[in-house]
Amino acid sequence: MSEPMCLKRLIDVRWPRGVICSACGSSNIGNIETRKPYQCKECRHQFTPISGTICHGAHLD
Ligand SMILES: [Zn+2]
């Protein structure tokens, strides 16, 4: 499994209805790109769907 697919799966599991801010719950999230932190447009909280390099060497299938 490629890392982008792994990341997408993690996002789907964590936010099945789309990415929301972990601080305020807003779905108005900018900068949703692989390998970059997300930033909430409401409160400017930054967060990432993964911590560290959980995808590396992991078998998630
Ligand atoms: Zn927020």
Side-chain angles (χ1 to χ4, degrees):
M1 179 179 292
S2 68
E3 186 169 337
M5 286 185 65
C6 176
L7 181 62
K8 185 180 185 306
R9 178 164 177 154
L10 287 173
I11 292 170
D12 287 343
V13 169
R14 186 164 178 179
W15 298 288
R17 293 187 176 185
V19 179
I20 61 171
C21 176
S22 60
C24 73
S26 171
S27 59
N28 189 9
I29 308 299
N31 194 31
I32 299 179
E33 298 178 32
T34 303
R35 296 170 185 261
K36 289 184 179 181
Y38 302 161
Q39 183 171 40
C40 175
K41 290 183 177 179
E42 300 294 334
C43 70
R44 296 189 177 181
H45 175 68
Q46 289 190 337
F47 57 101
T48 59
I50 58 174
S51 58
T53 55
I54 192 171
C55 289
H56 290 170
H59 297 283
L60 298 177
D61 54 358

